[in-house]
Amino acid sequence: MLSSEERGEIEAEMLKYPNKQAACIDALKIVQRRRGWISDESIREIAEFLGISTDELDGVATFYNLIYRKPVGRHVILLCNSVSCWIMGYNRLRKRLCERLEIQLGETTADGRFTLLPIVCLGTCDHAPALMVDDDLHRDLSPDSAEQILERYR
Amino acid sequence: MTSERPLTKDMKADGEALTLKEYERAGGYQGIRKALRMGPKDITDQVTKSSLRGRGGAGFPTGSKWSFVPLGKDAPHPKYLIANADEMEPGTFKDRLLMEGNPHQLLEGMMVASRAIEADVAFVFLRGEYVLSAQRLQRAIAEAYAAGYLGEKIFGSEVGLELHLHLSAGRYMCGEETGLLNALEGKRANPRTKPPYPQISGLFGKPTIVQNVETLANLPHIINNGVEWFKKLSYSADGGSKLYGASGKVKRPGLWELPMGTTIGELLHEHAGGMRDGVEFRGLLPGGASTDFLTEEHLDVKMDFTEVQKVGSRMGTGTMIILDDQTCPVGMVWNLEDFFAQESCGWCTPCWSGLRWAERILWAFEQGHGSEADLEKLEWICKFCAPGNTFCALAPGAVEPLQSALKYFRDDFLRHVREKQCPWR
C-alpha cells in the first residue's frame, strides 16, 4: 500500500495535469525517494493508484535511467562518461573508483554503501571530469580527489 | 561595436541567483508588462523581425514557429508553452548557467512567449540531475506566484498563466520536442509522427510550443529594447548575443556571452586561452556531440547558424568540444557513438541497429581489429542514418561527428589498422 504521505505527494503532482497517467513519472520518483528503488510491488501499487496497467507503468519505469528497478546502495554515484569528461580523464576516474569500491559500473558495494552508475553529460563540461553523489555535484576531479570525496558519504 | 551581454550582465559574481526583488531592480519584469499591452500578434511580429533563432541547436526562427499556433476565441484551450530545460547534449552546459544565475529571466521569457501564443499553462521540463536549477526555479516560481505574476490575472491584467516545474527522470530522447511531450504525458519518450506539428496538436493534443531556455531568456530583452537593438548585438544575420562555451584541453574552459557571429578562432584563442601547454589543436565539435567536426581551416568561420552550416557542420548549442593531439579521434568518436546508441529510444531500425553497429566497429578499431573495409561500412551506416531514413533527428545527428571524422581523421583510422592497436594507448 502506498503510504498516505506518498499518496498526498502524488495527488499534488496530479493537479498539474489533465489526467492521472501524466503524473506517473512523478509518482515513480516520489516512491523511489522514500523507498530507495522501485520494486515490482511498488509498480503494482502506483499503477493501481493511477488507474493504469502494471505493464504500461513498468514500460515507463524501465525507459528512464533515473528510475531504479533494482535496489541501490545508500548513496548513488553518477559518473559522467560523456565526451568532455572522457577527454579529461573519465577512464582513470572510473578505474580508480571501481578498484576502490571493488565493483563494476552498475553494481553496488558489498556493504550497501555505494552504487556506481554511468550517467550522460552532467552539463558541467568546463569543469570536467565530474560526478554526482546523490544530489551533490563534484567537479574538476582527479582520481585522488574523487576518492576523498567518497569519504564524506557514510 | 558594443558588446552588450543582456543574458548574463545582471548575474552575481558569487553565482547566487537573483531574487525577484533584485531582478526587478535590474529592470526585470518590464518586458512582460509591455508584452501584456501589445497583444499576441505584435509580440510574434517583433520576435520575427528580431531574427531570433532557436538556441537549442536547430536554429528554427522563433517568431515563425509561433505563427502556426491558432489564436483567438475559436482556438483550442488550454494551450501550452514548454521550456526545454533538458540540457543533455554532451558538451553543453549553457542553460544551467541561465537557470542557476537568473531563474526569473527564464520565467519572464516564458511569460512573454505564453502571451504570444495565448498559452494558459507553462511547464519547465528540467532534467532531474540539475538539482540546483530545480531549487532556484522552484523558489523563483513561488516568488512570482506570491507577487501575482503567475496565476490568475497576472500583473493585474485579464489573463492568467499557470507555470509548473517538471523534473525529468533521464534519457537524451526527452530533449527531442515530441519525445519531451510524451515524457510530460507520463509515457516513454519516443518521438511522435509529424504532422501534426505540436503547434496544432502537442501536449495532451493541444496547441503547444516547446522552446529552449536560452531562446526564452532573450525574449524580455527583445520586447524591452526592440528589434534594432537586438540585431545590433550580433556580428551576423542571426540576431542577438550567444552563450558560447569550450571544453576539452584548453587553458580556460568556460562559457561566455558574446556577439552572435564571433569567430571560432576568437572563441578558441582569446576566450578559451588556446590549447594547454604541451597539447596541439586537432579539431572541434562546434556545438555539442551531434555536430560535424571542424578543423584548423575553419577557425575564421563565424559561429552562427548560417556560416557554420556553409562549411558542413552546425552551430548546434554553440558550446565547442575541443579535440587535441593527445586524444585519439577514433576513441572520441567511439565515445560519442556509444552515447547515441545507448540513448536511441529503439523506435526505428536505422537508429537502434545502425548506431550500435557503428559503435561496435569503432570499438574494434580501438582494439586493433579494424580494417579498411570497415571504413566503408561506417560510411554506409552514415548514409543509412541520414535525414529522411529515420523517425527523428537523433540518428542523423549521431552520424554527423562520425561522417566528418571519416573525412578529416581518415589517416588516424588507417593507423589503427596498420599498427593493429590504438596508437594513443
Side-chain angles (χ1 to χ4, degrees):
Chain A
M1 263 274 284
L2 294 176
S3 70
S4 58
E5 290 85 4
E6 286 169 337
R7 270 178 284 148
E9 275 189 58
I10 295 168
E11 275 165 355
E13 290 296 327
M14 277 159 42
L15 296 175
K16 297 179 182 173
Y17 311 103
N19 64 51
K20 284 186 186 177
Q21 175 184 352
C24 77
I25 295 169
D26 302 287
L28 289 164
K29 293 185 92 172
I30 286 164
V31 171
Q32 178 169 288
R33 196 161 57 239
R34 290 171 175 277
R35 305 182 186 183
W37 66 294
I38 298 296
S39 64
D40 290 350
E41 195 190 340
S42 300
I43 289 281
R44 278 194 296 274
E45 291 168 1
I46 298 167
E48 192 185 340
F49 187 63
L50 296 178
I52 55 179
S53 80
T54 53
D55 287 350
E56 200 173 353
L57 184 63
D58 204 12
V60 173
T62 52
F63 186 88
Y64 294 96
N65 57 290
L66 296 179
I67 302 298
Y68 308 137
R69 283 289 275 115
K70 286 182 189 171
V72 292
R74 289 197 297 285
H75 305 287
V76 176
I77 305 169
L78 299 176
L79 178 62
C80 177
N81 66 356
S82 286
V83 62
S84 301
C85 285
W86 183 85
I87 291 172
M88 300 305 288
Y90 156 76
N91 273 318
R92 290 192 308 137
L93 208 55
R94 188 209 60 209
K95 222 175 264 175
R96 176 71 71 85
L97 293 179
C98 289
E99 278 166 18
R100 177 78 176 72
L101 300 171
E102 298 177 330
I103 51 172
Q104 296 301 309
L105 288 174
E107 295 178 353
T108 300
T109 53
D111 60 1
R113 185 169 156 206
F114 290 112
T115 296
L116 181 63
L117 299 175
I119 191 79
V120 299
C121 185
L122 287 173
T124 187
C125 318
D126 50 342
H127 293 280
L131 58 74
M132 289 181 79
V133 185
D134 304 333
D135 282 349
D136 309 330
L137 180 64
H138 301 284
R139 324 187 292 172
D140 297 306
L141 296 170
S142 66
D144 287 342
S145 67
E147 212 181 308
Q148 279 163 17
I149 283 163
L150 295 192
E151 291 304 315
R152 295 182 215 164
Y153 298 89
R154 286 284 129 196
Chain B
M1 169 64 69
T2 53
S3 187
E4 277 187 77
R5 299 180 294 111
L7 300 178
T8 55
K9 71 171 168 23
D10 297 323
M11 289 186 191
K12 297 183 192 173
D14 64 5
E16 287 296 317
L18 269 73
T19 62
L20 186 142
K21 226 179 227 172
E22 290 165 333
Y23 181 63
E24 290 206 292
R25 215 177 295 139
Y29 288 121
Q30 292 306 313
I32 177 61
R33 286 186 166 90
K34 200 167 162 190
L36 282 163
R37 294 192 297 268
M38 285 168 72
K41 282 203 170 122
D42 289 343
I43 301 169
T44 301
D45 192 43
Q46 187 160 336
V47 172
T48 303
K49 284 181 181 149
S50 78
S51 66
L52 174 67
R53 295 175 65 172
R55 303 295 199 242
F60 195 84
T62 305
S64 165
K65 187 173 182 173
W66 297 351
S67 69
F68 298 101
V69 176
L71 294 174
K73 62 178 184 352
D74 297 330
H77 282 274
K79 284 190 264 185
Y80 295 99
L81 182 280
I82 299 166
N84 186 345
D86 200 47
E87 183 162 73
M88 220 182 281
E89 177 75 18
T92 301
F93 49 100
K94 65 185 183 69
D95 296 337
R96 178 196 279 276
L97 175 80
L98 294 171
M99 293 184 284
E100 290 181 359
N102 199 349
H104 281 289
Q105 179 175 250
L106 170 60
L107 298 188
E108 188 182 1
M110 293 175 72
M111 292 173 192
V112 171
S114 295
R115 266 303 73 217
I117 62 164
E118 295 177 328
D120 313 272
V121 182
F123 284 96
V124 181
F125 188 97
L126 179 66
R127 67 178 295 192
E129 298 92 332
Y130 275 20
V131 176
L132 191 57
S133 298
Q135 289 165 351
R136 291 180 175 183
L137 279 166
Q138 200 63 272
R139 197 169 78 193
I141 291 166
E143 283 181 313
Y145 268 104
Y149 298 175
L150 288 171
E152 291 171 15
K153 299 181 188 277
I154 60 169
F155 297 91
S157 71
E158 288 306 305
V159 300
L161 179 67
E162 294 297 330
L163 193 149
H164 306 295
L165 177 64
H166 173 87
L167 273 173
S168 182
R171 294 307 292 274
Y172 178 68
M173 264 313 297
C174 297
E176 199 274 341
E177 184 176 59
T178 60
L180 183 153
L181 297 176
N182 278 336
L184 204 43
E185 290 184 10
K187 300 169 183 162
R188 294 164 75 96
N190 295 327
R192 294 179 180 175
T193 316
K194 290 192 265 193
Y197 288 90
Q199 290 100 320
I200 305 300
S201 178
L203 189 65
F204 303 109
K206 301 292 187 188
T208 303
I209 286 287
V210 181
Q211 208 84 63
N212 169 261
V213 168
E214 186 183 352
T215 315
L216 291 163
N218 273 292
L219 298 173
H221 305 290
I222 294 172
I223 299 299
N224 265 333
N225 303 314
V227 168
E228 289 313 310
W229 169 86
F230 189 73
K231 285 180 154 180
K232 277 189 191 145
L233 295 174
S234 163
Y235 291 155
S236 80
D238 306 333
S241 61
K242 176 78 190 81
L243 281 179
Y244 292 114
S247 65
K249 290 179 190 160
V250 290
K251 283 207 179 88
R252 292 190 301 272
L255 200 57
W256 314 278
E257 184 181 3
L258 294 166
M260 177 73 87
T262 302
T263 66
I264 293 171
E266 183 184 327
L267 294 172
L268 176 64
H269 291 296
E270 289 182 33
H271 302 286
M275 301 306 290
R276 285 187 183 181
D277 295 335
V279 298
E280 300 283 330
F281 173 79
R282 288 284 322 266
L284 57 84
L285 301 173
S290 59
T291 58
D292 286 84
F293 277 99
L294 296 176
T295 63
E296 192 82 40
E297 64 185 292
H298 304 114
L299 294 185
D300 293 335
V301 172
K302 285 180 173 181
M303 269 281 257
D304 68 27
F305 294 108
T306 314
E307 297 300 315
V308 179
Q309 196 147 23
K310 280 187 193 161
V311 293
S313 186
R314 296 185 304 116
M315 178 170 77
T317 60
T319 41
M320 315 189 299
I321 306 157
I322 315 293
L323 169 66
D324 63 274
D325 67 339
Q326 315 278 308
T327 300
C328 173
V330 178
M332 177 169 168
V333 177
W334 166 77
N335 173 276
L336 295 167
E337 298 313 318
D338 187 42
F339 161 80
F340 287 116
Q342 172 189 296
E343 292 304 317
S344 170
C345 75
W347 189 252
C348 70
T349 305
C351 185
W352 71 255
S353 174
L355 296 181
R356 187 50 78 193
W357 190 9
E359 180 276 320
R360 287 288 86 199
I361 294 173
L362 291 161
W363 183 249
F365 270 93
E366 280 294 275
Q367 301 307 308
H369 308 311
S371 69
E372 281 194 54
D374 285 334
L375 290 179
E376 280 169 40
K377 273 185 214 154
L378 289 172
E379 265 159 7
W380 187 79
I381 292 172
C382 290
K383 291 198 188 96
F384 186 58
C385 290
N389 294 341
T390 63
F391 205 74
C392 83
L394 187 142
V399 296
E400 286 180 30
L402 176 58
Q403 68 191 12
S404 48
L406 291 168
K407 185 162 82 181
Y408 294 122
F409 306 119
R410 199 170 192 90
D411 287 346
D412 298 293
F413 280 89
L414 294 173
R415 266 187 78 191
H416 284 70
V417 177
R418 276 200 310 273
E419 299 178 22
K420 294 192 167 42
Q421 62 171 344
C422 173
W424 277 267
R425 287 231 176 115

